[in-house]
Amino acid sequence: MARAKKADVTQRRLLSLWAPPEGAGAAIGVLATTFTLDTALFEEECLARFAGVQSDPARDGALYRIEREEKLADLLCAAVVADIHHCGGRRSLRWDLLAARPASGVMHAKISLMAWSNHVRVIVGSANLSNDGYRRNQESVALLEFSESFADRGLLVPLLAYLRELLSLTAGPARQRAEQLLQWVDKRLPRHASPGKG
């Protein structure tokens, strides 16, 4: 019994990182990368928290689908880049699934960038966007928070460059939407130096 309780607390903590902080403003867009992907977990748990969907897909049925459509229609981008070997599953057409095709090896990055009008959050960690990654495994994550009042460009610029590099492994109009989100983040956040730098 104690183990089940501990797992529930861990699950809540990891999924809670997808909910906006106080004062974050309107949801703008999300770009996530993963090796393996559970589309239902991403859509019903992660993306729903990010966009503020209040209804439950299991309990509310049509109401959930309507609310999801309305919330996701307002986003600049909602996308997941997954390794080509793990790009499958049921999903809404309101978010993009991009297949990463590296010249050799696999795409193994696990980064989630979430942008609201007043806040940007980046999760860098070991957890795939899967039930195992978010509910069963012991995983570690680093959380980076950027706001209109402060953004360490020394962290942000290489992060955006790396996400652009991952997008270069994909193709199609969905890639353009994801690149537009990265441009929005780059232009929106302040360009002043971080503390301790000239």
Side-chain angles (χ1 to χ4, degrees):
M1 288 299 239
R3 284 186 77 161
K5 259 189 174 177
K6 186 175 180 183
D8 290 344
V9 170
T10 305
Q11 172 189 337
R12 276 198 305 273
R13 287 182 183 161
L14 196 50
L15 286 171
S16 71
L17 298 179
W18 286 80
E22 189 173 334
I28 302 298
V30 60
L31 173 61
T33 70
T34 186
F35 176 58
T36 62
L37 174 65
D38 181 318
T39 56
L41 175 97
F42 176 71
E43 182 176 303
E44 297 169 10
E45 303 285 350
C46 301
L47 193 54
R49 280 175 173 78
F50 164 77
V53 175
Q54 300 296 313
S55 51
D56 180 271
R59 185 188 64 234
D60 300 321
L63 177 63
Y64 164 77
R65 289 189 293 278
I66 292 168
E67 183 184 12
R68 177 194 64 196
E69 290 297 303
E70 290 174 349
K71 296 278 176 104
L72 299 187
D74 291 335
L75 298 180
L76 179 62
C77 168
V80 176
V81 178
D83 185 73
I84 183 82
H85 303 100
H86 299 282
C87 281
R90 294 178 53 188
R91 64 186 184 89
S92 160
L93 296 178
R94 287 290 183 188
W95 61 272
D96 298 316
L97 177 54
L98 294 91
R101 297 173 173 88
S104 63
V106 296
M107 197 293 296
H108 211 266
K110 296 151 187 112
I111 301 170
S112 298
L113 180 144
M114 291 161 267
W116 296 274
S117 57
N118 303 322
H119 196 86
V120 172
R121 173 178 289 157
V122 180
I123 303 169
V124 181
S126 61
N128 284 302
L129 288 170
S130 67
N131 279 304
D132 284 340
Y134 270 70
R135 292 196 165 105
R136 296 183 187 94
N137 300 344
Q138 289 187 340
E139 305 283 356
S140 62
V141 298
L143 193 62
L144 304 173
E145 306 274 9
F146 304 97
S147 68
E148 288 185 313
S149 62
F150 174 74
D152 185 341
R153 305 284 308 174
L155 287 173
L156 184 62
V157 169
L159 176 69
L160 295 177
Y162 183 64
L163 288 171
R164 287 185 177 105
E165 186 179 325
L166 293 178
L167 286 174
S168 74
L169 302 174
T170 70
R175 174 179 165 182
Q176 294 173 338
R177 288 189 286 274
E179 288 171 345
Q180 286 174 350
L181 175 63
L182 298 182
Q183 289 171 2
W184 184 94
V185 170
D186 192 29
K187 290 177 181 174
R188 182 75 173 182
L189 293 178
R191 296 194 170 271
H192 55 71
S194 58
K197 296 185 180 176

